[in-house]
Amino acid sequence: MGHNAVQPSTLMSDFLRQCGGYAVIDGGLATELERHGADLNDPLWSAKCLISSPHLIRKVHLDYLEAGANIIISASYQATLQGFEAKGLSKEEGEALLRRSVEIACEAREMYHNIGCKVSWDATGNGEILKQRPVLVAASVGSYGAYLADGSEYSGIYGDAVTLEALKDFHRRRVQVLAESGADIIAFETIPNKLEAKPYVLISVGFLQAFAEILDEEDIKIPAWFSFNSKDGVNVVSGDSISECASIADSCKQVVAVGINCTPPRFIHGLIQAIGKVTTKPVLIYPNSGETYDAERKQWVQSAGVGDEDFVSYVGKWCEDGACLIGGCCRTSPNTIRAITKALSSRSSSATTIQF
C-alpha cells in the first residue's frame, strides 16, 4: 500500500478494520540484529547495518512478518544525516541510506507475500493466518537524543542550547526524505518531551504538506504516528505530562495514532488511560521488555525485565484500556510478537484477504 492510496484521516481506521480491529506491530530490531551476529556498538546503532549488512535487516523484517506482524518499522530510528556525515558520508549518500531503510522493509513485505510465508494462528488460535493480511511499512524517526547516542532519549534532557528551532532544523530534511521514500506511515518514536513533539507537528503539517504540493495532482498527505516513552507511568521521561504531549499529537491532522513505546509493560495501563482522555485517535503501544538501559555501558540491564509470557499477559488488559495496535520494542523478539498475535487473534472481529 503506497501512502498516496488513502488520506491520513482514513488510513488507520481502514487498516484496523481490515485487520479485524486490532493490529500487531513488530518487535525489537537491534535485539534481533545482534542475535544474527551484528555488532551494534556504534553511534549509528541499528542504522549501522544499512551500511554493513542490509541483508540482516531484511531477514529480521521477514522474521517479524512470519510471526504475525501487520506493521514493520524501518531501520532508520538512529539514521540521521548528521550521524552519517560524522561517519564520512556525503549528504547524498546519507539520504540514499534513509531511503534504503524503507526499501528494505518494502522488499521484505513483497518477499513475504510472494513466497506465501505463514504463521501459526488463525482467529480461533489454530491453523494458519491468511497469507495476504494487511501489512504497513512505517518509516522510523528517532528523537534527537537517539542521534546523541548517550541515552538522552530516556531522559529528554538536551540542555538549554537545544531550542525548538534547532530541533526543527535537525529533523527537517530527514523527514522530507522519509516522506518521499514510499513508506505508508512515518513513526515518530521514543519522543521524550513536549519540546520535541512540537517540531514534529510543525514538520508534519508544514513540510509534509509542502511535499504534497510538489505532487499536488495526487494531493498526497503523509500520515504519521507519535509514540512517547515514560519511566513512571504518569509523565514522559523528561517529566512533561503525557496528557499534554498526547494533546499536541492530537492537534495534528497528519497524526493518525498516538501512543507509547520503549516503556516497561507495568506502566502502560495508566498511560493508555491518560492518552485516551485527550484523543479519540487509535492508541498504539509497543513496550520494551521492562529492562533498564545503562547509557554508560550502552547495554540493557536484564534483571529488571519480564519474559514473553509475562509480557503477553498484559495484552488483554491493554486492549480493554483502549489500545488497538500492540507490539514490542527493545529486547522483544519474534517469539514475543508471535504470542501477541495469538492473544489478539481471538479479539479480531474478522479475517481478511485484502492486501495493503
Side-chain angles (χ1 to χ4, degrees):
M1 176 180 178
H3 51 242
N4 60 338
V6 294
Q7 296 298 309
S9 59
T10 59
L11 178 136
M12 191 56 70
S13 59
D14 288 350
F15 174 66
L16 286 168
R17 175 180 53 79
Q18 294 184 56
C19 289
Y22 296 93
V24 180
I25 303 171
D26 65 8
L29 177 66
T31 304
E32 288 301 293
L33 289 172
E34 289 177 327
R35 189 174 70 83
H36 286 296
D39 177 6
L40 303 185
N41 186 17
D42 189 278
L44 289 178
W45 199 39
S46 55
K48 174 187 175 184
C49 291
L50 291 170
I51 302 171
S52 63
S53 46
H55 64 287
L56 291 184
I57 298 173
R58 189 183 302 106
K59 167 63 176 170
V60 174
H61 287 324
L62 275 168
D63 287 346
Y64 279 120
L65 289 170
E66 291 174 11
N70 299 107
I71 301 174
I72 52 175
I73 303 174
S74 69
S76 51
Y77 174 80
Q78 208 142 330
T80 64
L81 296 176
Q82 298 86 344
F84 289 137
E85 182 181 352
K87 286 288 187 181
L89 299 176
S90 68
K91 178 184 176 183
E92 291 73 22
E93 289 170 328
E95 290 183 1
L97 286 170
L98 283 173
R99 287 189 289 269
R100 186 65 185 134
S101 70
V102 173
E103 290 170 359
I104 292 169
C106 290
E107 288 167 4
R109 173 175 59 184
E110 184 176 0
M111 289 174 63
Y112 174 78
H113 284 139
N114 285 345
I115 64 179
C117 293
K118 303 168 184 176
V119 293
S120 302
W121 320 108
D122 62 13
T124 63
N126 299 292
E128 298 168 349
I129 271 187
L130 295 168
K131 301 173 187 177
Q132 301 296 323
R133 70 184 189 282
V135 173
L136 295 182
V137 169
S140 174
V141 174
S143 70
Y144 178 71
Y147 156 71
L148 296 176
D150 61 0
S152 58
E153 71 263 48
Y154 300 108
S155 71
I157 301 172
Y158 297 158
D160 295 339
V162 181
T163 64
L164 177 63
E165 288 302 316
L167 287 172
K168 286 166 59 180
D169 290 342
F170 175 80
H171 288 297
R172 180 178 288 115
R173 181 56 186 158
R174 178 193 190 188
V175 172
Q176 288 176 324
V177 171
L178 289 172
E180 299 171 336
S181 67
D184 300 301
I185 190 167
I186 296 181
F188 293 102
E189 302 186 283
T190 325
I191 306 173
N193 53 41
K194 64 183 179 183
L195 178 67
E196 195 147 20
K198 291 178 180 177
Y200 285 164
V201 170
L202 294 172
I203 290 169
S204 294
V205 173
F207 294 102
L208 297 186
Q209 284 185 349
F211 172 54
E213 289 177 10
I214 295 172
L215 299 173
D216 58 359
E217 69 276 10
E218 295 186 27
D219 195 29
I220 292 175
K221 300 288 190 297
I222 305 299
W225 81 51
F226 279 20
S227 58
F228 300 89
N229 60 332
S230 173
K231 56 187 177 185
D232 62 6
V234 178
N235 303 303
V236 297
V237 293
S238 65
D240 292 333
S241 161
I242 182 61
S243 297
E244 186 175 357
C245 290
S247 294
I248 292 171
D250 183 69
S251 70
C252 179
K253 67 179 182 179
Q254 237 69 24
V255 173
V256 296
V258 183
I260 298 290
N261 77 294
C262 213
T263 295
R266 65 184 182 277
F267 293 142
I268 298 299
H269 167 68
L271 294 166
I272 296 173
Q273 292 184 323
I275 291 169
K277 290 178 180 178
V278 297
T279 184
T280 58
K281 294 179 180 181
V283 176
L284 58 90
I285 57 103
Y286 48 117
N288 58 37
S289 65
E291 299 169 40
T292 303
Y293 185 72
D294 185 324
E296 291 187 5
R297 292 189 293 166
K298 297 188 182 301
Q299 59 186 234
W300 290 86
V301 180
Q302 296 186 22
S303 60
V306 298
D308 287 342
E309 289 186 8
D310 291 329
F311 186 102
V312 174
S313 70
Y314 288 98
V315 170
K317 183 61 178 174
W318 295 336
C319 291
E320 292 171 8
D321 291 333
C324 52
L325 298 106
I326 298 175
C329 200
C330 294
R331 310 290 288 179
T332 61
S333 70
N335 285 337
T336 316
I337 299 312
R338 190 170 289 107
I340 291 173
T341 300
K342 183 177 182 181
L344 290 179
S345 64
S346 62
R347 291 179 170 270
S348 295
S349 58
S350 63
T352 179
T353 57
I354 300 176
Q355 180 179 342
F356 274 66

